[in-house]
Amino acid sequence: QLTMSLNSSTLLNEEKAQGAQRNTEGLESLLQTPSSIQDNPLQQLQLASQEVLEKAKKSGRSKCPRCNSSRMFYCYTCFVPVETVPTKEIPTVKLPLKIDIIKHPNEIDGKSTAVHAKLLAPDDVTIYKYPCIPEYEEKRHEIALIFPGPNSVSVKDIAFHLQKYTKKGFCSSDDDCSREPVLKQAKIEPEAEKNPNECISSSRSEGTGLKKIIFIDSTWNQTNKIITDERLQGLLQIELKTRKTCFWRHQKGKPDTYLSTIEAIYYFLVDYHQEILKESYKGQYDNLLFFFSFMYTLIKDAKCCAGKE
């Protein structure tokens, strides 16, 4: 469920109507459908102009400027827009926290919405392919993992629970507390070169103790391999319980509160902005759904044209 595809052949297989003839080579057949946002739950988003995507869909697939692969909109392996989508026309989003995305090794690159986060917030998002992930133990007092579970807490309770981690230091048990604390190396940075907005975001996040959020990019049936990894044990877990997915690849048997990766990132940040930073939300992170909302509309329109709604 934590995935999305720009892999056209897969999309077409899922969305084809009886007797409909579709092009299995690419997304082009879907992309030629008329655009409509009627009944679109994402239509209230404050997004940058998607005209660049409209133009790209008309011209069809294009080359990745790095690997020369044929892609639609962006390259999901190089994390860059294709030649027909100028980087300067893609919005960028500044996040109040750093984000690590751990991608399951069997997850198909073209299905993942995680790449959206990297494309739209390149300075704040890092994608790792499991099992190559960082060691989090020594900083678990400032890190949280987004994952539903019996011990998960809500966003508004983050500060309270992280405070307990701080009091324990880095200890996972009472026996561990006998060891000496980890010495931190001084961090030297040229203060004059810092962006004032970045300093503000940094000071706000330091006030809560939270500095990084981890997301798992995988189908729900594959998450067990990652969530049970010893490097993720002991991290504070957060669950987003009130949001419903708009993802068109919703997995059967799973609740509609199980979100795609980019939805989970977006909704977490909105909640964090309101519950932790205590500020009114004015669309600051809406552009994280720049690609997602565009694809949602394409798929919805394709269904309408095929008579499936």
Side-chain angles (χ1 to χ4, degrees):
Q1 171 57 20
L2 299 182
T3 55
M4 162 190 170
S5 179
L6 284 181
N7 181 308
S8 58
S9 61
T10 307
L11 277 174
L12 298 176
N13 286 336
E14 291 189 359
E15 307 302 335
K16 66 181 179 180
Q18 291 182 351
Q21 297 297 316
R22 300 190 185 274
N23 182 354
T24 59
E25 288 294 319
L27 193 58
E28 292 85 349
S29 58
L30 282 180
L31 300 180
Q32 299 306 318
T33 59
S35 177
S36 169
I37 59 172
Q38 185 178 6
D39 299 324
N40 182 348
L42 304 175
Q43 63 182 324
Q44 300 302 320
L45 296 172
Q46 299 180 43
L47 299 172
S49 172
Q50 294 176 322
E51 184 179 357
V52 62
L53 300 182
E54 291 286 354
K55 290 180 179 178
K57 83 174 184 183
K58 292 177 182 178
S59 60
R61 299 167 72 89
S62 181
K63 286 185 178 182
C64 167
R66 292 186 183 176
C67 68
N68 289 322
S69 297
S70 177
R71 302 280 190 249
M72 181 64 73
F73 303 133
Y74 58 79
C75 180
Y76 42 75
T77 52
C78 299
F79 308 142
V80 295
V82 294
E83 293 177 345
T84 55
V85 182
T87 302
K88 64 181 181 180
E89 295 187 41
I90 299 299
T92 55
V93 185
K94 178 62 184 174
L95 308 184
L97 301 163
K98 296 299 182 182
I99 289 177
D100 282 359
I101 300 174
I102 301 175
K103 188 174 178 294
H104 193 283
N106 295 335
E107 189 61 34
I108 299 173
D109 290 338
K111 285 187 174 184
S112 175
T113 61
V115 63
H116 296 183
K118 183 62 180 175
L119 282 162
L120 299 164
D123 294 337
D124 298 315
V125 175
T126 305
I127 298 178
Y128 298 95
K129 181 169 286 189
Y130 187 84
C132 298
I133 66 174
E135 294 285 350
Y136 294 111
E137 182 179 3
E138 293 184 359
K139 292 188 176 181
R140 62 193 183 94
H141 60 294
E142 58 188 33
I143 297 174
L145 171 66
I146 304 296
F147 196 81
N151 298 318
S152 298
V153 304
S154 62
V155 174
K156 65 183 178 62
D157 294 326
I158 290 176
F160 172 75
H161 288 278
L162 278 182
Q163 187 179 27
K164 293 190 293 185
Y165 282 80
T166 303
K167 288 180 180 178
K168 291 180 181 179
F170 307 129
C171 306
S172 58
S173 69
D174 292 338
D175 293 335
D176 292 333
C177 292
S178 59
R179 65 185 182 182
E180 295 182 5
V182 178
L183 297 178
K184 293 184 178 179
Q185 203 168 18
K187 189 175 183 180
I188 302 174
E189 294 181 354
E191 294 293 331
E193 296 181 6
K194 284 188 176 181
N195 185 313
N197 293 329
E198 292 180 9
C199 294
I200 293 173
S201 296
S202 176
S203 63
R204 286 173 179 167
S205 62
E206 286 175 4
T208 68
L210 185 65
K211 294 184 179 180
K212 179 175 289 187
I213 291 292
I214 302 170
F215 293 84
I216 295 176
D217 185 55
S218 167
T219 59
W220 286 104
N221 292 332
Q222 294 176 331
T223 56
N224 188 63
K225 181 175 183 178
I226 297 178
I227 197 63
T228 56
D229 189 288
E230 61 180 8
R231 290 168 290 183
L232 299 181
Q233 302 312 301
L235 293 176
L236 177 65
Q237 288 186 206
I238 300 170
E239 182 172 1
L240 306 175
K241 301 179 181 180
T242 62
R243 309 291 189 172
K244 293 185 178 181
T245 184
C246 290
F247 194 39
W248 50 92
R249 293 184 180 281
H250 183 69
Q251 295 178 22
K252 293 181 180 180
K254 302 299 180 183
D256 57 6
T257 54
Y258 279 23
L259 307 170
S260 66
T261 302
I262 195 62
E263 287 178 301
I265 292 172
Y266 169 73
Y267 286 124
F268 168 79
L269 289 171
V270 172
D271 289 347
Y272 177 84
H273 193 86
Q274 296 173 320
E275 300 285 353
I276 303 299
L277 299 184
K278 301 297 183 182
E279 296 180 7
S280 59
Y281 182 69
K282 299 179 181 178
Q284 291 91 332
Y285 314 120
D286 283 10
N287 275 322
L288 286 175
L289 297 180
F290 181 76
F291 291 105
F292 184 89
S293 63
F294 190 79
M295 290 303 302
Y296 173 89
T297 301
L298 291 180
I299 301 301
K300 181 178 176 60
D301 289 347
K303 286 184 177 181
C304 289
C305 291
K308 294 185 69 175
E309 291 196 356

